[in-house]
């Protein structure tokens, strides 16, 4: 038996498949306040913040390059040191690739890709693992090398691989979109960092209200972050049919070495470029933030990593051979 319905708090269902986490943090948006200093007066005075529409005199570039990387832990390992001690390690495979989108021809193709592997550990005695054509060179990490912290050590070599594969396909006038924060890639020209999931709260409540009030195809004014990596940033809302206040919102960033005018120009360019790549819920469990070319690239790169079960057997056999 059910009682009469009662009015309650509004709630929203995140469009993302729960297996991928959430597109925004608990509470309807970024939950963790950031300690970064924010200069909100870059494009407009903070007191005048409002939604910015796409400019009619700004056209998308003819060529857009989208770069992404994937990684996978193939096995967890432990070393046996001469002094009786032991260090944890992970054998990881990772790959980076670039999709070249020719907007004039309406065509997209894989422009370049590379695969890397590595054995990540703090062990001073660890050696490369070589089994036939499979090679896991040692990447020695600093500190005590706790197992829980080792997966993060893969990010450095993966980022370097993304930079290397990107540099081989650049051309004058293109736009490079990196999936994730720019970090050490801020020196790349005409490059945007594309952040799908929002963890940190950079803006105060009044400015945040401008962001959550954006309509699809609008962005907030450019602001500057005083984080360790620094840089200009802005939020924009991709095409989305309703949903929670932060639904369809992504953060975009560019290098702090640019002038304010150059950063604003890239923000305008992003607004006429990124929405055309937005995914749809019936095609992608992370729609609309997981851009269509990126989703296809991720699938291609994961296939290039090789069979996980086969690599695990190879690593197991190599370990047995070393112990003999």
């Amino acid at each position: 038996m059910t009682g009469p319905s009662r009015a309650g708090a509004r709630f929203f269902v995140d469009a993302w498949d729960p297996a991928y986490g959430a597109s925004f943090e608990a509470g309807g948006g970024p939950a963790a306040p950031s300690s970064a200093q924010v200069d909100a007066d870059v494009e407009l005075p903070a007191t005048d913040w409002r939604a910015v529409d796409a400019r009619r005199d700004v056209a998308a570039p003819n060529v857009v390059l989208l770069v992404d990387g994937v990684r996978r832990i193939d096995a967890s390992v432990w070393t046996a040191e001469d002094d009786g001690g032991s260090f944890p390690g992970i054998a990881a495979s990772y790959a980076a690739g670039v999709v070249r989108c020719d907007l004039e021809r309406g065509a997209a193709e894989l422009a370049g890709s590379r695969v890397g592997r590595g054995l990540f550990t703090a062990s001073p005695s660890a050696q490369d693992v070589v089994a036939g054509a499979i090679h896991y060179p040692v990447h020695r990490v600093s500190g005590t090398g706790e197992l829980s912290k080792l997966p993060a050590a893969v990010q450095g070599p993966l980022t370097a691989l993304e930079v290397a594969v990107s540099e081989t396909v650049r051309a004058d006038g293109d736009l490079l979109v990196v999936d994730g924060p720019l970090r050490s890639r801020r020196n790349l020209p005409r490059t945007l960092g594309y952040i799908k999931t929002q963890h940190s709260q950079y803006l105060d409540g009044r400015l945040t209200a401008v962001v959550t009030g954006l309509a699809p195809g609008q962005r907030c004014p450019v602001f500057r972050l005083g984080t360790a990596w620094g840089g200009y940033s802005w939020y924009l809302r991709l095409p989305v049919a309703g949903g929670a206040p932060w639904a369809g919102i992504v953060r975009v960033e560019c290098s702090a070495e640019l002038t304010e005018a150059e950063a604003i120009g890239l923000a305008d360019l992003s607004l006429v470029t990124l929405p055309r790549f937005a995914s749809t819920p019936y095609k992608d469990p992370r729609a609309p933030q997981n851009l269509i070319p990126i989703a296809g690239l991720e699938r291609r790169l994961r296939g290039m990593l090789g069979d996980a079960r086969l690599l695990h057997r190879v690593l197991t056999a190599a370990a047995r051979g070393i112990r003999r």
Side-chain angles (χ1 to χ4, degrees):
M1 182 175 179
T2 60
S5 62
R6 297 180 181 178
R10 297 175 65 199
F11 73 96
F12 302 89
V13 177
D14 192 353
W16 282 25
D17 186 322
Y20 292 97
S23 59
F24 43 80
E25 291 296 292
S34 172
S35 60
Q37 293 191 355
V38 176
D39 177 7
D41 298 320
V42 173
E43 184 173 5
L44 291 174
T47 54
D48 295 335
W49 260 44
R50 60 182 181 274
V52 178
D53 293 303
R55 291 175 46 184
R56 294 183 178 180
D57 60 338
V58 175
N62 293 332
V63 175
V64 180
L65 303 172
L66 296 103
V67 60
D68 194 15
V70 299
R71 57 186 178 179
R72 185 188 66 206
I73 297 176
D74 296 329
S76 296
V77 303
W78 293 87
T79 66
E81 305 298 323
D82 291 338
D83 61 2
S86 182
F87 288 88
I90 58 172
S93 296
Y94 48 95
V98 179
V99 175
R100 184 181 188 275
C101 299
D102 188 324
L103 301 187
E104 281 192 320
R105 295 191 299 115
E109 60 185 0
L110 181 65
S113 61
R114 296 186 185 181
V115 176
R117 307 188 198 277
L119 176 63
F120 297 81
T121 180
S123 167
S125 65
Q127 299 180 358
D128 295 1
V129 176
V130 181
I134 304 299
H135 183 201
Y136 287 84
V138 171
H139 292 262
R140 201 158 275 110
V141 302
S142 59
T144 57
E146 298 97 320
L147 183 60
S148 61
K149 297 182 179 180
L150 291 178
V154 184
Q155 186 60 48
L158 176 55
T159 298
L161 204 64
E162 290 178 359
V163 171
V165 74
S166 299
E167 290 177 339
T168 63
V169 298
R170 297 301 304 265
D172 291 341
D174 63 12
L175 177 69
L176 179 66
V177 179
V178 173
D179 191 59
L182 286 178
R183 296 192 178 95
S184 59
R185 296 167 287 198
R186 295 183 178 275
N187 62 322
L188 300 176
R190 303 181 309 284
T191 301
L192 300 177
Y194 178 83
I195 297 90
K196 293 192 289 282
T197 306
Q198 311 309 317
H199 298 287
S200 299
Q201 181 177 325
Y202 295 110
L203 305 175
D204 63 30
R206 186 176 57 82
L207 300 184
T208 295
V210 174
V211 175
T212 57
L214 295 173
Q218 291 183 328
R219 66 173 177 85
C220 77
V222 174
F223 56 95
R224 185 163 182 162
L225 291 175
T227 60
W229 292 108
Y232 298 99
S233 193
W234 58 95
Y235 293 97
L236 65 81
R237 193 187 294 271
L238 298 170
V240 63
W246 284 82
I249 289 180
V250 297
R251 185 171 67 84
V252 189
E253 61 181 24
C254 64
S255 174
E257 298 180 4
L258 300 174
T259 65
E260 292 184 356
E262 289 171 331
I264 294 170
L266 281 176
D268 286 333
L269 195 61
S270 72
L271 196 55
V272 298
T273 303
L274 296 178
R276 67 175 59 203
F277 297 122
S279 52
T280 54
Y282 74 91
K283 288 185 177 180
D284 194 304
R286 289 175 287 173
Q289 290 97 319
N290 200 39
L291 303 181
I292 293 173
I294 291 293
L297 177 60
E298 288 177 341
R299 290 191 295 269
R300 183 77 172 268
L301 293 177
R302 288 194 184 98
M304 295 173 62
L305 294 181
D307 187 286
R309 292 171 297 180
L310 176 59
L311 289 170
H312 192 277
R313 289 199 296 269
V314 167
L315 288 164
T316 301
R320 290 170 178 166
I322 291 173
R323 288 201 297 269
R324 292 195 184 99

